[in-house]
Amino acid sequence: MRIIVIILACSFWVAPSAAQENHFRNPSIKGPSAWAQSSRVAGVVFNLDSKVGKSKKGSLRINNESGSLETPFNWRQVCRVDKAKTRRFRLAAYVKTQGLKAGTKVNLIAQCWDADDKTIHFVQCAPQSQDGDWRIIEVVFELPPKVKSLFVMAYIVGRGEVWWDDFVLSETTKPLTPAAKPNASRSLDDEAQKLARGVGSDIPWQFDAAQAKSVRSERRNRSWCTCAAQMTKRE
């Protein structure tokens, strides 16, 4: 009887750990593997910063001196979620910013793709526009049933420098992130839609979920123009 009780106790202890699986590859930035970047243009530098990190050295850095407030530059990764046991997820990362100029925005966003790479949902954290040391930004959301993967983008638009570290995409039991106030929500959504189309300008996707169901994304290497970020072949 005592053995059975111990086995059951261990089973309940292991289950929460499994539910916390991080769907990012290389989330704490140990080298450049699993991460891609948008197109290189004059005045924008992407690099793995081996001297700066949240808990230990190593982070993704973008230094944008291009001056454009229209062109987003990003680090990005496609994360598979098709084997997830639940549909409530937490998307988060630590961010550090420096030298942000007026109008500059930094954020972590994701397009949610179905099995045919159709964008049927979109999520975003709260945009950052001030200089600051490491802080976490996150959003807790419900995935539509047909979502199989997330195309996650950590971006900056405008002048400034940003570091990213300790990414998380995991199943969670945390409460959903409250919706913003109506006016603020509309403003954020409009801006996020514009930027998301910018970072994925060659994908014929629509933010509106109903319309997006009829839009098909190509499964191949995607070339990006200089007016927007690039996408690589789906990993």
Side-chain angles (χ1 to χ4, degrees):
M1 181 67 180
R2 182 177 298 176
I3 294 175
I4 294 175
V5 171
I6 292 174
I7 292 173
L8 288 174
C10 291
S11 298
F12 283 114
W13 181 82
V14 171
S17 175
Q20 297 301 317
E21 175 189 358
N22 194 345
H23 293 265
F24 276 107
R25 302 178 307 286
N26 190 18
S28 296
I29 320 306
K30 299 176 181 178
S33 65
W35 291 96
Q37 63 194 44
S38 53
S39 58
R40 294 177 178 270
V41 301
V44 181
V45 176
F46 294 85
N47 71 292
L48 171 65
D49 195 327
S50 60
K51 297 181 179 180
V52 176
K54 169 58 178 68
S55 54
K56 52 188 175 181
K57 294 181 179 180
S59 59
L60 300 175
R61 173 178 172 266
I62 307 175
N63 185 17
N64 182 9
E65 295 296 333
S66 68
S68 171
L69 292 177
E70 298 294 329
T71 305
F73 298 95
N74 67 93
W75 287 99
R76 61 193 185 274
Q77 185 177 142
V78 175
C79 302
R80 301 288 305 186
V81 295
D82 52 326
K83 296 182 180 179
K85 295 180 175 62
T86 65
R87 305 310 293 174
R88 181 167 297 187
F89 272 79
R90 174 176 175 254
L91 174 65
Y94 277 91
V95 61
K96 171 184 169 72
T97 49
Q98 178 177 294
L100 300 190
K101 305 302 182 184
T104 296
K105 295 290 176 63
V106 169
N107 207 357
L108 182 67
I109 63 177
Q111 295 175 13
C112 303
W113 294 350
D114 67 7
D116 296 318
D117 287 353
K118 299 174 185 175
T119 301
I120 57 176
H121 194 56
F122 173 82
V123 295
Q124 63 171 327
C125 298
Q128 307 291 297
S129 58
Q130 302 292 325
D131 287 355
D133 203 358
W134 291 107
R135 68 272 193 191
I136 195 167
I137 58 174
E138 62 182 332
V139 61
V140 177
F141 59 97
E142 295 281 359
L143 277 181
K146 293 183 179 181
V147 171
K148 300 297 183 182
S149 60
L150 273 69
F151 178 62
V152 182
M153 296 156 279
Y155 76 79
I156 181 173
V157 56
R159 285 181 180 268
E161 195 170 9
V162 59
W163 292 261
W164 297 96
D165 199 4
D166 294 343
F167 290 83
V168 174
L169 178 63
S170 63
E171 299 161 64
T172 184
T173 57
K174 285 189 172 185
L176 294 173
T177 300
K181 294 180 180 179
N183 290 340
S185 177
R186 180 54 184 258
S187 176
L188 287 174
D189 284 348
D190 289 346
E191 179 182 15
Q193 290 178 46
K194 180 180 178 181
L195 288 171
R197 290 189 178 99
V199 294
S201 62
D202 62 323
I203 307 174
W205 74 288
Q206 297 290 332
F207 179 75
D208 181 85
Q211 296 180 28
K213 292 179 180 179
S214 64
V215 179
R216 185 177 186 84
S217 298
E218 298 178 352
R219 286 184 171 177
R220 63 173 182 263
N221 286 331
R222 297 158 169 106
S223 60
W224 295 67
C225 62
T226 57
C227 67
Q230 290 184 324
M231 289 180 60
T232 57
K233 184 178 180 180
R234 182 174 177 179
E235 298 176 324

